[in-house]
Amino acid sequence: MIGKLKGSIEEIGADYVLVDVHGVCYVAYCSARTLSKIGSAGEAVVLFIETYVREDQLKLFGFLSALEREWFNLLQSVQGVGSKVALAVLSTLSPSELANAIALQDKVMISRAPGVGPKVAVRLVTELRNKAPALAGEASASIGLKQELGEGVASAPVADAVSALTNLGYSRDQAASAVAAALKNGGEGGDSAKLIRLGLKELSR
């Protein structure tokens, strides 16, 4: 079982990277997002690896972080999502963006990934919504509020503030993050007008 590869980049293909580890080259299949960040041929690279062993093949999947690898496995726990679709989702959304989309039950955002139709998107946000907070990464500070918004149980001032910021052209994710930061920085107990004002201040940083 291979858990991590440390070596140099031998070659980068459309959906894989060839990693030279002391003269032995390993093919690791990666998301487009990972391939765009690992560097170029000859440079050092470290990949977290998920090893798939089947009767007729042994396949390695590479990730820049353990968190991305966890999402890869979690996505495949949902019916209709295999390794190809999981990589497509991770090519489209970062782990924190994915956690936010699931918390907000933003099916449209998840459907941007190739191979993810409306039914699969619904299953993803429904089946993974309770697991997203543990894998939120950079989004962990605001994930609770986004879940409340996604489930329709957020307080009226919070929901109104997010709606107002969204109407100003910000994405629901950006608006929710700004309001979460506003609440943390002195906006607790405030009305929607105060949260909108503080939210706009956060968005202008």
Side-chain angles (χ1 to χ4, degrees):
M1 184 70 72
I2 299 173
K4 184 186 284 188
L5 288 178
K6 293 182 180 181
S8 61
I9 299 171
E10 180 74 16
E11 175 189 331
I12 297 178
D15 61 352
Y16 71 90
V17 59
L18 193 60
V19 182
D20 185 339
V21 182
H22 302 302
V24 178
C25 290
Y26 296 86
V27 176
Y29 294 91
C30 306
S31 70
R33 184 180 292 271
T34 293
L35 291 174
S36 70
K37 292 182 177 181
I38 58 176
S40 54
E43 295 184 348
V45 67
V46 177
L47 289 176
F48 291 85
I49 298 295
E50 184 65 27
T51 306
Y52 274 26
V53 180
R54 300 289 186 267
E55 284 186 10
D56 58 343
Q57 67 174 334
L58 186 154
K59 203 168 188 178
L60 306 181
F61 295 91
F63 309 92
L64 285 178
S65 67
L67 181 62
E68 188 183 16
R69 181 176 62 186
E70 288 184 69
W71 269 111
F72 176 71
N73 288 319
L74 183 60
L75 287 167
Q76 291 178 85
S77 68
V78 175
Q79 181 186 356
V81 178
S83 60
K84 184 177 180 180
V85 171
L87 281 183
V89 172
L90 292 171
S91 292
T92 306
L93 301 170
S94 68
S96 59
E97 289 171 338
L98 181 54
N100 285 335
I102 290 172
L104 290 166
Q105 297 188 28
D106 191 342
K107 297 176 283 295
V108 174
M109 178 69 75
I110 294 175
S111 294
R112 286 170 47 201
V116 178
K119 290 183 180 179
V120 172
V122 168
R123 285 200 292 267
L124 283 169
V125 300
T126 302
E127 296 181 28
L128 301 183
R129 64 185 178 189
N130 293 327
K131 299 175 182 178
L135 300 177
E138 298 174 358
S140 57
S142 59
I143 199 73
L145 180 140
K146 289 173 183 176
Q147 277 197 306
E148 291 178 359
L149 287 166
E151 295 170 8
V153 296
S155 67
V158 167
D160 289 345
V162 170
S163 178
L165 293 176
T166 302
N167 289 337
L168 289 174
Y170 296 100
S171 71
R172 197 154 181 251
D173 184 20
Q174 289 175 314
S177 294
V179 172
L183 288 168
K184 183 179 178 181
N185 297 327
E188 276 193 53
D191 58 19
S192 58
K194 181 179 180 180
L195 289 177
I196 292 168
R197 187 174 68 254
L198 291 175
L200 285 169
K201 187 176 179 181
E202 293 294 332
L203 288 164
S204 68
R205 291 181 187 276

